[in-house]
Amino acid sequence: MPSKLSVWYNSLVDFNVESLFSKRRVPGPPRTVFVNEPLPDDHYDHKHRVKKEHVFSSNQVITSKYTVITFVPRNLLEQFRRIANVFFLAIAILQFFSIFSTVSPGLVILPLIIVLAITALKDGYEDVKRHQSDRTINYSQVRVLKGGDFSNDNPMASKSKTFVRAIVPVFKRTSKAKRTQGDVENAVAPEGLHTEGTDLTQLPTRTEELGVDFDDGEPVEEAGGLFHHRGASRKPHWKMTIWEDLRVGDIVKIMDDEPLPADILICATSEEENVAYVETKNLDGETNLKSRNACPSLTHLNTARACAKKENAFRINCDRPDTNLYKLNATAIAPDGSKTAVDSNMVLLRGTVLRNTGWVIGVVLYTGEDTKIVLNSGATPSKRSRVERQMNPQVFINLLLLAAMATACGIVDAVLEQHYFPLDAPWLYGDTQSDDNPRINGLITWVYALITFQNIVPISLYISIEGVRTCQALFIYFDKEIVYEKTGQATLARSWNLSDDLGQIEYIFSDKTGTLTQNAMVFRQCTIDGRVYKGDEVDSDVTNVGAITEADEAADESKLDVHETSLIPPSAKRSSASSSTEVANPLTAPAVKKAEHVLAHFTDSTLISDITSAREAVSGSPEDHHGRMLNGFWSVLALCHTALVSIDPTTGAIQYKAQSPDEAALVQAAADVGFVFRGRDREVLTLQTPFARGDKYERYELLNILDFTSARKRMSVLLRKLGGEDSEGDGKVYLLSKGADNVIIERLHPGQDAAVRTTEDHLAEFASEGLRTLTLAYKVVPEDEYEAWAKRYHEATVSLDDREEKIEAVSEEIEHGLSLLGATAIEDRLQDGVPEAIADLKEAGIKIWVLTGDKLETAIAIGHSTNLIGREDNIVIIRGGGEGATPVYMQMLNAVEEFFPESGILEEDGVGLDDDTVQPQQTRGYPLHRVNTGASSLVGHNNGERPGGFVLVIDGAALTHALSDAKNKHLLLKLAMQCEGVICCRVSPLQKALVVKLVKEGVGAMTLAIGDGANDVSMIQAADVGVGISGEEGLQAVNSSDYAVAQFRFLKRLLLVHGHWSYARNGNMIVNFFYKNIICIGVLWWFQIYCAWSSQYAFDYTYLLFWNTFWTIAPVIGIGLFDRIVDDHVLMAMPELYKHSMNHEYFGTKLFLIYMLDGVVQSALIFFLILYSYVSTSSRHDGYDVSRYEFSTTIAIAAVMAANLFNGLNTHVWTGWIFFAVALGIVLVWAYTAIYSIISPGWFPTYVFGNDFYLFRSPYFWFTIFLVTILSLLPRYVAKAYKLAFAPNDLDRARWLHKLDPTHDFTQDRHGGLADISVGGGRKRFSKRTRPHLFHASRTDMATGMRSVNRGFDFATEENGVAMQRIQSHLSERHVQAAPAKRRRNPSALMQAFSIRRTLRRKKHGSQSSHPTDEPSLSSAPSSPGREPLYHRASS
């Protein structure tokens, strides 16, 4: 139970200042948008004011923190969250009272003001940049419908006054409104204005042609409301309006290449089929174009005149604002009451950009904070580095020490005054005033002592750290080793205060696609009807495919690439991929160009031969059957997609643009084979195939698209084949499906077992090579069945309640009874250097977790290819299953007992099975049972004891259970901690963040998350350090990250070099900062013994005033900027050196206390040696006693020299900058002493005038300064010399070896090679230990209990219902190892299929098992790794 003090402290630390100044608007209820209709009466209250729930958010988006009014109070509150700033302010306020004043109060508070001002300027500069960005966006312009009968009565919330709008635009907009260009035209929007550089009044007048825009020769666009023709503003027209003035219910017109200002429902587009193409990289990181369709009932709103007509008014019922980018349920209601369903495919979201479309007319549904991109952005968390968090307790220690010192002074002073005042002590003469008497002077001395010893908490520490971290961010930016040469992209530190956290990372959470891989695809292999086709890469950018010609078959039936000249049927129309201004026709394109993010074309000579044979085959022959399978397979790839067809203007070839690189690679591969998708004309798909009859293109009517979702894991399309009367299959309805193998196979019709087994074997081979697979199937749907289903599907699509669930249920009805065609395999290539980087990061001691949406086997394959899983590693699989499957908690318990029995996890409280843990429905026999064949070696008796360690693989379904409650979380975390790496597959963005938080909060470890897409933002923000992959495209992950890198491999240098350096530098700088202040305060403290504990200064106050600003600041800053624990090439060559940084060796409370003690000891040496040297015999030639300022000035100079040289002694490399930094303070204090001593008191009061005359002539001065300096440094010097000579660590050895041989290759010393180095001598003469024989990687599936050698990936192990013979065949693959097997107890004994060791059950209170001596009685099996398995196989 935490104490009240800790609870109070944590609440104070976690206090969010932003909550006082900003309140996040809660998304409102479901809304109704009235377009050109008045609001109904129920929207008003009794005072005829619009009800609050019907007021929509303005389109103004503000990301800045401050305004003119809130900047000072809010920034001060943020800065005074640091307890040290509160302390310094209190001390400064005290000195405004004359009784406590030391020097001018203004001079005392000046350092605090400087620190606050510098920090405020930095925060203000950052916020000004945010204001500029906000202004650029909010002042971007869009065309809004005005004039005619159009009116918009939807109420909007008022806009906020920001920093810029409160000052600048007030007079700018009013003054410039007098100009002919209008108010909006003069609003500065450097990046948001899209008028092609031409004033709107200079644009050519458009007239209505082909039913577009206007029809009377008047201008159709208005600049600021001014027209050439009188009265034109009353006609329907498009007026340029700034984004922040956009309203819900406005009708807008978006032109090509313009960004979307809000979430907009599409009414009409420039395309004949009312399709719009949009780029969504700002939302999901994908650069491929997406297609969006207009609402069918609104396509007539294609001109300003049509939109403004009252008879075309309508309203839209919408859901409440939602964060789900892919979900939107709405209904468009016409005046006659007819309803049209609206979904996310009809909406253009804010943040996207219109591409390849002339124009779009749409209605604004959501604005500002209600748009999906703003709802998903969230507030970037305020991250504090671990070093900064650790500093707070150290500051508290110093404050407690200060309080104790002040209390001691106050108590002793009060006792002494009360003792000597009755004795008429002369120094107490007159102490009879109300504010000056022995009774109150103790308290005054206590306050005065706080002022005297205030430097024990260094005010300059915080500002010094800020400056050092800023420079470290610049060092990262200018490091040429982590600049991506292809794009010139440097590594950018977006958060300057986390550089030292990079040196303490213990866990890395990485996305896969686009982070570890290039997100660039190659179609590698496919299996069709049991045959595997392994294609070859084609280097050419374009592949000739020709077009259907009448002479094709007669000329040469053996060739797939037909003549480049084409004869297009007269009825061919322009495809949807081309815009209204595009001339090229996809039906006549003779070639196919590589799609973006697709690296190669696909070709296979065997496949070409099989297609040729099939074309010539006799009906009913095996070749004919295989030809039908080939035709079906490639037709599914060519038709089951949402890809767009475009024509490359340079080559005239077809280029596919798909929503993902995978889809583009599939469609392009089909085209390479000869199944060329020629585009879509409205709802008609055109396909060219080698099997075309009558030398014609095949055409299909697109009936429905059952889109791919993470839950469905498949995509289907329903098509009706079109053609002549003699066309085979004319009028039939086909269902074409592609998806994950498990969801497709379970929907096949019975009788395909042989084909399924063959395909599964091929899928396992594909997955073992790290390829991404899809399974293809189809069915013919009877017409009456389709008509009935289509009616139910339409009802589900127009439903506003639970639309997704209803659509899923209806889709499930028709996606069954499929016929298997085959499967595809695509390679997602790794980024350069990824395997090497992961191997080195693992060697550095960092645990790497990969969080991916890929299926289990592909994720494991990527783990192997990236070196995350070594060849000798053991893989433990935890999978979620359906009814009857092994519970996830039980799987985790089995894994712990099976592989980590000595970890102590099973003995922990809360770990184990309660009586109600295994529910009745879960105790049914699992369909898979391990069979005991009588030979334990077949199941791998030594599994779990191999040298490579363990890797845990868990899927999203299992994570859902494992993260459901504290008990599951605890066991999952304990199990994962025993593994070298973890792979989470099939995970959602939310699960990624939850996994990061599980480790971050459960272990307290430093975490780093790296990703490249919007789905990684939550993970990046949840981690201590977030890294975004910028690469060639600007992605949303970068905007939410702390560091932006271009390639994953740069993470190695960022952590091992910059992170290690920054943490070592900052930690060393901070402890030296505390040390140099304690040595100063220590001298003042020892002086209290001789001044009756009156809190007097030992030396002149100016020496104390300049202590942190001139005398001792340079060395610690030099440490923070220029110290190097070891050179960068050594850190890169020996990743294991990072463990010193990861283990927090450079900063902590223990190190802090050591340096504090060192400062106390040195202050005692300096004070007492100099004091007794001066008081023993006078140092003056005339015999008079010395003045206090003679020996105290000597103490001050000696303290400065000792502190600076001690700081220099703690650096690891002496460069010119370090020499300069150490010498600077010493030179300054000597020069100051010489100059200050000759200033006449006539200029201003000084107590040390003439001090130089006595000081520099005294032998005591020279003798004591050098004596105490050497004695002060001697203990640390001896300790460092002893450590280097007798107890060196790897860093010491590396520095020594580098000193002896600067050209030494440190890669030879990896894996503990530095242990052979003897500092001061040569290399030790003994051989390295030989590593044990490396086994093949072993895998154990805890859901099935199945073990096998992991040389290939069995796809079928993912799902339930695997046949028994599949298990037996895989078990037979196990190699018998020569190592002697440990004896098992009773290997032939049989157990129930679902039995649990009693050691796993929670111990009952009061039972015999609570006694240690009774523990063996719970299970007669020994606790050795060779114990009996939980699942036994029945003898066959």
Side-chain angles (χ1 to χ4, degrees):
M1 186 70 180
S3 64
K4 292 184 178 180
L5 180 62
S6 63
V7 172
W8 173 84
Y9 174 76
N10 292 330
S11 62
L12 179 65
V13 170
D14 297 336
F15 173 70
N16 187 8
V17 178
E18 296 180 0
S19 62
L20 298 177
F21 295 92
S22 62
K23 186 177 180 181
R24 186 84 179 193
R25 184 177 185 270
V26 179
R31 62 179 60 189
T32 299
V33 179
F34 297 91
V35 183
N36 210 7
E37 285 186 358
L39 297 181
D41 293 337
D42 59 2
H43 277 48
Y44 297 95
D45 59 15
H46 64 282
K47 294 183 178 180
H48 203 69
R49 294 178 302 189
V50 179
K51 295 179 181 179
K52 186 177 180 180
E53 61 267 22
H54 299 304
V55 178
F56 304 134
S57 172
S58 74
N59 202 40
Q60 183 187 45
V61 175
I62 299 174
T63 61
S64 54
K65 295 169 59 177
Y66 307 112
T67 66
V68 174
I69 299 175
T70 64
F71 176 71
V72 173
R74 183 171 180 175
N75 188 262
L76 288 179
L77 274 176
E78 289 176 349
Q79 294 200 56
F80 279 105
R81 290 177 64 186
R82 291 173 171 170
I83 192 65
N85 286 344
V86 177
F87 167 73
F88 293 128
L89 178 63
I91 293 297
I93 292 174
L94 286 175
Q95 296 189 64
F96 275 88
F97 297 93
S98 58
I99 191 172
F100 303 122
S101 178
T102 53
V103 293
S104 171
L107 185 62
V108 171
I109 203 172
L110 182 62
L112 178 61
I113 293 176
I114 291 175
V115 170
L116 296 178
I118 291 176
T119 305
L121 287 174
K122 169 180 163 292
D123 295 340
Y125 173 77
E126 293 176 351
D127 204 58
V128 166
K129 291 296 183 183
R130 285 190 285 264
H131 277 288
Q132 292 175 351
S133 175
D134 291 345
R135 181 180 174 83
T136 298
I137 294 173
N138 290 328
Y139 274 60
S140 300
Q141 299 187 1
V142 63
R143 297 163 183 82
V144 179
L145 179 66
K146 298 292 182 182
D149 297 331
F150 182 79
S151 63
N152 185 2
D153 295 336
N154 293 284
M156 303 294 293
S158 59
K159 295 182 293 185
S160 302
K161 291 292 184 180
T162 64
F163 186 92
V164 179
R165 287 180 58 87
I167 296 179
V168 182
V170 173
F171 62 87
K172 179 179 287 187
R173 295 179 67 184
T174 55
S175 62
K176 292 189 176 183
K178 301 177 181 179
R179 305 183 184 180
T180 59
Q181 294 298 321
D183 57 341
V184 178
E185 192 64 27
N186 293 291
V188 180
E191 299 176 5
L193 190 59
H194 299 275
T195 56
E196 293 79 40
T198 306
D199 292 337
L200 290 175
T201 53
Q202 299 175 355
L203 292 175
T205 300
R206 300 181 185 177
T207 57
E208 180 174 336
E209 296 179 6
L210 303 177
V212 178
D213 289 328
F214 210 60
D215 60 355
D216 59 358
E218 296 291 341
V220 297
E221 295 184 359
E222 175 188 358
L226 299 179
F227 279 77
H228 293 294
H229 302 281
R230 186 184 303 273
S233 60
R234 293 191 296 270
K235 296 179 181 291
H237 59 276
W238 304 105
K239 178 183 177 181
M240 298 298 289
T241 305
I242 58 177
W243 280 18
E244 65 177 22
D245 290 338
L246 196 63
R247 299 162 56 88
V248 172
D250 277 344
I251 298 181
V252 297
K253 184 176 183 179
I254 310 297
M255 306 302 291
D256 192 22
D257 295 330
E258 289 186 356
L260 275 298
D263 293 351
I264 295 172
L265 171 64
I266 305 174
C267 296
T269 77
S270 59
E271 306 303 303
E272 292 181 2
E273 58 279 4
N274 282 305
V275 175
Y277 309 118
V278 64
E279 183 181 72
T280 62
K281 70 178 182 181
N282 289 331
L283 292 180
D284 53 21
E286 297 179 357
T287 58
N288 305 282
L289 298 186
K290 313 290 194 305
S291 63
R292 297 291 183 263
N293 303 314
C295 180
S297 63
L298 303 178
T299 54
H300 61 286
L301 303 179
N302 54 6
T303 66
R305 180 180 297 276
C307 294
K309 290 181 179 180
K310 282 294 183 181
E311 55 267 28
N312 289 335
F314 61 96
R315 67 180 184 273
I316 306 171
N317 292 335
C318 308
D319 279 346
R320 64 179 297 172
D322 188 11
T323 57
N324 191 336
L325 296 174
Y326 311 104
K327 174 186 176 183
L328 189 144
N329 293 333
T331 304
I333 305 175
D336 60 0
S338 60
K339 298 181 179 180
T340 305
V342 174
D343 58 23
S344 58
N345 286 326
M346 301 178 187
V347 177
L348 301 178
L349 301 182
R350 176 176 176 138
T352 60
V353 180
L354 190 67
R355 301 291 189 195
N356 292 356
T357 308
W359 51 262
V360 165
I361 293 176
V363 177
V364 177
L365 298 183
Y366 301 100
T367 53
E369 294 183 358
D370 292 336
T371 58
K372 291 187 179 293
I373 188 173
V374 177
L375 289 173
N376 275 275
S377 61
T380 302
S382 178
K383 297 182 179 180
R384 301 173 63 204
S385 70
R386 182 173 189 145
V387 168
E388 186 174 348
R389 296 195 300 268
Q390 287 178 319
M391 279 174 55
N392 274 343
Q394 297 172 5
V395 171
F396 270 111
I397 292 175
N398 277 9
L399 288 176
L400 292 176
L401 182 59
L402 172 63
M405 295 167 66
T407 302
C409 287
I411 293 175
V412 177
D413 179 74
V415 171
L416 291 178
E417 288 200 19
Q418 293 178 19
H419 174 73
Y420 286 105
F421 183 78
L423 302 178
D424 297 327
W427 60 86
L428 298 179
Y429 178 76
D431 286 1
T432 57
Q433 307 298 321
S434 60
D435 59 347
D436 185 10
N437 61 75
R439 295 182 179 180
I440 196 65
N441 282 349
L443 178 61
I444 295 175
T445 299
W446 178 80
V447 176
Y448 208 94
L450 293 177
I451 300 173
T452 300
F453 305 128
Q454 63 176 298
N455 272 10
I456 197 172
V457 180
I459 187 173
S460 56
L461 172 59
Y462 292 102
I463 197 65
S464 300
I465 293 176
E466 293 289 340
V468 165
R469 284 174 173 165
T470 301
C471 293
Q472 290 170 353
L474 293 176
F475 292 160
I476 293 174
Y477 180 79
F478 289 111
D479 188 352
K480 295 182 179 179
E481 299 292 330
I482 47 179
V483 174
Y484 191 33
E485 296 181 357
K486 183 177 179 180
T487 61
Q489 175 69 42
T491 299
L492 178 65
R494 296 174 54 86
S495 298
W496 294 354
N497 62 330
L498 300 177
S499 57
D500 38 57
D501 278 353
L502 293 173
Q504 306 172 74
I505 299 300
E506 300 172 65
Y507 290 85
I508 292 178
F509 300 88
S510 175
D511 179 38
K512 185 187 75 69
T513 304
T515 302
L516 301 179
T517 60
Q518 299 180 20
N519 204 20
M521 307 297 174
V522 178
F523 189 99
R524 281 293 185 196
Q525 303 179 46
C526 60
T527 173
I528 307 172
D529 193 25
R531 301 184 190 179
V532 175
Y533 299 100
K534 300 184 178 181
D536 302 320
E537 289 190 28
V538 179
D539 294 332
S540 64
D541 191 51
V542 175
T543 295
N544 291 328
V545 294
I548 297 294
T549 65
E550 295 179 353
D552 180 26
E553 285 185 285
D556 188 359
E557 290 186 353
S558 65
K559 295 183 179 179
L560 287 179
D561 293 337
V562 296
H563 304 297
E564 294 185 10
T565 59
S566 59
L567 181 62
I568 303 301
S571 61
K573 296 184 178 180
R574 177 177 54 86
S575 169
S576 66
S578 58
S579 68
S580 57
T581 60
E582 195 170 285
V583 179
N585 193 331
L587 297 180
T588 63
V592 174
K593 183 181 179 180
K594 283 191 300 187
E596 189 177 8
H597 300 298
V598 178
L599 300 180
H601 290 282
F602 176 78
T603 182
D604 185 275
S605 57
T606 305
L607 177 61
I608 293 175
S609 176
D610 287 351
I611 292 177
T612 303
S613 301
R615 293 171 63 181
E616 301 172 347
V618 178
S619 178
S621 63
E623 290 80 8
D624 178 66
H625 170 76
H626 188 64
R628 292 178 180 274
M629 297 294 289
L630 290 173
N631 186 44
F633 180 90
W634 294 108
S635 294
V636 171
L637 286 186
L639 295 173
C640 184
H641 57 78
T642 57
L644 312 174
V645 177
S646 64
I647 300 297
D648 181 64
T650 304
T651 62
I654 289 177
Q655 186 175 29
Y656 296 109
K657 296 184 179 296
Q659 297 189 21
S660 67
D662 308 62
E663 192 168 70
L666 294 173
V667 182
Q668 179 184 290
D672 294 334
V673 173
F675 292 77
V676 185
F677 175 61
R678 291 285 178 173
R680 188 177 75 178
D681 184 6
R682 295 187 181 274
E683 305 303 328
V684 177
L685 308 180
T686 303
L687 177 66
Q688 170 188 337
T689 78
F691 297 97
R693 296 178 181 272
D695 302 327
K696 294 181 180 180
Y697 290 114
E698 294 182 358
R699 287 181 170 81
Y700 298 84
E701 179 188 358
L702 178 61
L703 302 176
N704 304 96
I705 297 179
L706 309 182
D707 207 358
F708 178 89
T709 66
S710 58
R712 285 170 42 80
K713 301 180 183 178
R714 63 191 182 277
M715 173 191 177
S716 300
V717 295
L718 285 144
L719 306 171
R720 176 179 281 113
K721 189 172 184 180
L722 306 176
E725 296 181 357
D726 58 344
S727 177
E728 182 180 353
D730 178 36
K732 289 185 178 180
V733 177
Y734 294 92
L735 173 72
L736 311 181
S737 296
K738 65 180 182 182
D741 59 304
N742 56 302
V743 297
I744 295 295
I745 290 175
E746 68 185 13
R747 287 165 173 79
L748 300 178
H749 68 74
Q752 304 181 70
D753 295 343
V756 169
R757 284 195 296 269
T758 303
T759 303
E760 285 179 335
D761 290 337
H762 294 161
L763 286 169
E765 295 176 7
F766 297 159
S768 68
E769 300 175 17
L771 303 179
R772 305 172 67 159
T773 61
L774 276 180
T775 305
L776 278 59
Y778 83 103
K779 70 178 279 190
V780 178
V781 183
E783 185 67 28
D784 54 348
E785 178 184 343
Y786 171 73
E787 292 297 336
W789 176 87
K791 183 178 179 180
R792 296 193 301 272
Y793 183 75
H794 176 73
E795 293 174 354
T797 58
V798 297
S799 173
L800 278 181
D801 300 327
D802 302 324
R803 179 183 296 180
E804 288 77 13
E805 290 77 7
K806 293 179 180 178
I807 292 177
E808 170 62 23
V810 176
S811 300
E812 186 77 23
E813 295 176 6
I814 201 169
E815 292 175 315
H816 64 86
L818 304 179
S819 298
L820 180 64
L821 292 170
T824 63
I826 297 177
E827 177 188 3
D828 187 359
R829 287 190 173 174
L830 295 177
Q831 290 186 9
D832 295 337
V834 165
E836 295 80 5
I838 288 183
D840 288 341
L841 291 172
K842 287 178 62 179
E843 189 171 346
I846 301 174
K847 293 187 177 181
I848 300 177
W849 292 30
V850 174
L851 313 178
T852 177
D854 282 330
K855 57 180 172 289
L856 185 141
E857 298 295 349
T858 302
I860 293 177
I862 293 296
H864 279 281
S865 60
T866 58
N867 283 335
L868 182 63
I869 304 176
R871 289 182 59 84
E872 68 274 22
D873 287 344
N874 303 280
I875 305 170
V876 181
I877 301 173
I878 306 293
R879 295 188 295 114
E883 185 176 355
T886 308
V888 173
Y889 190 81
M890 188 63 206
Q891 293 183 50
M892 293 189 292
L893 274 178
N894 291 345
V896 172
E897 201 224 9
E898 186 84 6
F899 304 113
F900 312 109
E902 307 298 330
S903 62
I905 297 176
L906 299 177
E907 286 73 31
E908 295 183 6
D909 293 336
V911 175
L913 296 177
D914 294 323
D915 292 336
D916 56 350
T917 298
V918 183
Q919 299 179 2
Q921 67 268 22
Q922 295 173 324
T923 58
R924 290 183 243 164
Y926 192 79
L928 295 180
H929 302 268
R930 183 173 296 169
V931 179
N932 190 345
T933 61
S936 61
S937 59
L938 290 179
V939 295
H941 61 273
N942 58 351
N943 183 58
E945 300 177 3
R946 301 186 175 181
F950 293 84
V951 175
L952 174 66
V953 181
I954 183 169
D955 66 7
L959 272 178
T960 301
H961 295 285
L963 298 174
S964 60
D965 55 46
K967 182 177 181 179
N968 280 274
K969 286 181 182 179
H970 176 73
L971 184 57
L972 172 63
L973 187 62
K974 290 295 183 181
L975 174 60
M977 293 304 101
Q978 301 296 321
C979 301
E980 291 185 349
V982 177
I983 298 177
C984 303
C985 55
R986 296 297 196 197
V987 292
S988 66
L990 178 60
Q991 286 179 323
K992 291 183 178 183
L994 292 176
V995 169
V996 173
K997 290 179 181 179
L998 175 69
V999 176
K1000 179 181 175 182
E1001 298 172 359
V1003 184
M1006 292 295 295
T1007 58
L1008 181 147
I1010 180 170
D1012 70 320
N1015 59 335
D1016 302 316
V1017 169
S1018 57
M1019 173 180 70
I1020 287 173
Q1021 293 181 340
D1024 292 291
V1025 179
V1027 179
I1029 299 287
S1030 57
E1032 302 178 25
E1033 306 289 345
L1035 304 179
Q1036 187 174 341
V1038 173
N1039 298 331
S1040 303
S1041 66
D1042 304 303
Y1043 292 87
V1045 299
Q1047 295 276 284
F1048 181 88
R1049 68 177 187 270
F1050 295 152
L1051 192 62
K1052 174 185 173 183
R1053 184 172 178 88
L1054 186 64
L1055 299 184
L1056 302 190
V1057 176
H1058 291 285
H1060 198 155
W1061 277 355
S1062 297
Y1063 178 49
R1065 289 166 172 171
N1066 293 353
N1068 197 12
M1069 179 186 73
I1070 292 170
V1071 293
N1072 277 278
F1073 223 113
F1074 282 116
Y1075 152 80
K1076 74 180 184 62
N1077 276 36
I1078 200 65
I1079 192 175
C1080 173
I1081 298 304
V1083 169
L1084 298 180
W1085 170 255
W1086 302 125
F1087 180 69
Q1088 302 309 307
I1089 300 174
Y1090 303 96
C1091 68
W1093 305 89
S1094 58
S1095 302
Q1096 295 297 313
Y1097 294 104
F1099 37 72
D1100 187 81
Y1101 180 73
T1102 57
Y1103 284 95
L1104 182 62
L1105 185 65
F1106 296 145
W1107 183 267
N1108 283 321
T1109 53
F1110 295 114
W1111 310 149
T1112 60
I1113 191 66
V1116 289
I1117 296 295
I1119 291 174
L1121 293 180
F1122 307 112
D1123 190 22
R1124 292 197 304 274
I1125 194 76
V1126 73
D1127 283 2
D1128 58 339
H1129 71 278
V1130 180
L1131 294 174
M1132 290 291 286
M1134 303 189 64
E1136 59 264 35
L1137 296 179
Y1138 184 79
K1139 294 178 181 178
H1140 294 276
S1141 179
M1142 187 176 65
N1143 294 333
H1144 318 299
E1145 294 183 6
Y1146 304 124
F1147 187 69
T1149 302
K1150 178 181 178 181
L1151 197 62
F1152 162 77
L1153 294 175
I1154 291 175
Y1155 274 77
M1156 292 286 286
L1157 179 62
D1158 218 332
V1160 171
V1161 172
Q1162 292 184 29
S1163 67
L1165 287 173
I1166 292 171
F1167 179 82
F1168 289 107
L1169 286 178
I1170 294 179
L1171 172 67
Y1172 288 114
S1173 295
Y1174 270 86
V1175 300
S1176 58
T1177 305
S1178 176
S1179 62
R1180 294 190 179 184
H1181 298 290
D1182 55 11
Y1184 285 96
D1185 198 3
V1186 296
S1187 169
R1188 172 161 66 99
Y1189 290 107
E1190 289 184 45
F1191 81 88
S1192 65
T1193 302
T1194 306
I1195 291 176
I1197 296 175
V1200 170
M1201 292 183 62
N1204 285 9
L1205 292 174
F1206 184 82
N1207 293 156
L1209 189 63
N1210 289 322
T1211 59
H1212 301 91
V1213 56
W1214 277 78
T1215 63
W1217 287 108
I1218 296 296
F1219 276 104
F1220 172 78
V1222 171
L1224 180 62
I1226 298 175
V1227 172
L1228 287 178
V1229 73
W1230 280 77
Y1232 176 80
T1233 301
I1235 297 173
Y1236 188 48
S1237 299
I1238 63 175
I1239 296 177
S1240 171
W1243 296 353
F1244 56 84
T1246 175
Y1247 298 103
V1248 294
F1249 175 69
N1251 202 21
D1252 59 321
F1253 179 81
Y1254 299 102
L1255 202 62
F1256 298 136
R1257 296 185 180 186
S1258 170
Y1260 286 173
F1261 172 79
W1262 300 101
F1263 174 74
T1264 55
I1265 279 185
F1266 291 105
L1267 175 65
V1268 298
T1269 301
I1270 294 174
L1271 290 179
S1272 298
L1273 301 179
L1274 189 60
R1276 175 56 61 102
Y1277 178 82
V1278 172
K1280 291 174 74 72
Y1282 177 86
K1283 179 179 180 298
L1284 181 64
F1286 300 102
N1289 58 24
D1290 289 343
L1291 292 170
D1292 297 324
R1293 295 187 179 99
R1295 283 194 297 268
W1296 176 260
L1297 191 58
H1298 183 55
K1299 175 182 174 62
L1300 296 180
D1301 182 11
T1303 62
H1304 179 74
D1305 182 11
F1306 282 90
T1307 57
Q1308 302 175 358
D1309 300 302
R1310 298 177 68 159
H1311 310 298
L1314 285 179
D1316 303 344
I1317 303 298
S1318 175
V1319 177
R1323 188 180 292 269
K1324 295 179 183 178
R1325 298 186 177 224
F1326 60 83
S1327 59
K1328 298 182 182 179
R1329 293 180 301 168
T1330 57
R1331 294 175 65 93
H1333 174 70
L1334 300 182
F1335 295 89
H1336 287 291
S1338 167
R1339 63 185 289 177
T1340 301
D1341 191 333
M1342 301 310 299
T1344 62
M1346 187 168 65
R1347 299 176 179 174
S1348 63
V1349 174
N1350 193 28
R1351 54 170 185 82
F1353 295 79
D1354 182 9
F1355 227 35
T1357 59
E1358 270 194 80
E1359 302 300 327
N1360 299 334
V1362 186
M1364 181 65 72
Q1365 49 268 47
R1366 291 282 293 157
I1367 303 174
Q1368 294 172 338
S1369 63
H1370 274 279
L1371 286 173
S1372 64
E1373 295 175 359
R1374 191 71 166 183
H1375 294 297
V1376 181
Q1377 303 294 341
K1382 294 185 179 180
R1383 182 175 59 86
R1384 293 180 180 267
R1385 183 183 66 86
N1386 192 14
S1388 61
L1390 295 178
M1391 296 179 63
Q1392 295 180 359
F1394 192 78
S1395 59
I1396 307 168
R1397 284 187 181 274
R1398 283 179 291 172
T1399 56
L1400 299 182
R1401 298 188 180 274
R1402 181 172 295 176
K1403 301 173 184 178
K1404 304 296 182 182
H1405 293 288
S1407 65
Q1408 294 180 354
S1409 61
S1410 61
H1411 300 286
T1413 57
D1414 295 335
E1415 184 68 25
S1417 66
L1418 294 177
S1419 175
S1420 59
S1423 59
S1424 65
R1427 63 202 173 289
E1428 184 179 5
L1430 292 177
Y1431 295 95
H1432 289 256
R1433 299 187 179 276
S1435 301
S1436 56

